[in-house]
Amino acid sequence: MNTNQIEALIGMLAVLALFAIMVLPSLIGIAHDRRVDRQLREAQDHHREKEDQKSSSRSTVPSTATWYAEGRRSKKLVSS
């Protein structure tokens, strides 16, 4: 190898090293974002499972507002 080839090799290695240094933070950030997204998705799924368990164990008694509205409707029909 002559001097020109060695200088070209050193220059190419320097450029590749600088490229790696510039790209590495972006790759770390992308990996971090994916991990956070996965954790959020798992937490949402866990929350939905808990809600589904709660809603399936609830009784089907109507709320007070529904009971009151149905009572008023029946009184109107009777008084008509």
Side-chain angles (χ1 to χ4, degrees):
M1 275 185 151
N2 62 17
T3 308
N4 287 338
Q5 290 175 333
I6 293 174
E7 286 179 5
L9 181 64
I10 292 172
M12 187 171 50
L13 290 175
V15 168
L16 288 175
L18 288 172
F19 181 74
I21 290 172
M22 292 176 69
V23 170
L24 189 63
S26 296
L27 295 177
I28 292 171
I30 290 170
H32 181 265
D33 286 347
R34 284 188 170 192
R35 182 171 49 95
V36 170
D37 289 344
R38 186 183 69 242
Q39 289 174 344
L40 287 172
R41 204 173 315 114
E42 288 173 358
Q44 279 182 335
D45 291 343
H46 182 69
H47 182 69
R48 282 192 193 122
E49 287 174 6
K50 277 193 154 185
E51 276 187 358
D52 290 344
Q53 288 174 355
K54 282 183 183 177
S55 65
S56 64
S57 64
R58 287 185 187 160
S59 64
T60 57
V61 176
S63 68
T64 305
T66 306
W67 174 78
Y68 179 74
E70 286 176 359
R72 288 183 54 86
R73 279 191 215 116
S74 64
K75 286 180 184 175
K76 283 183 180 178
L77 292 175
V78 171
S79 63
S80 295

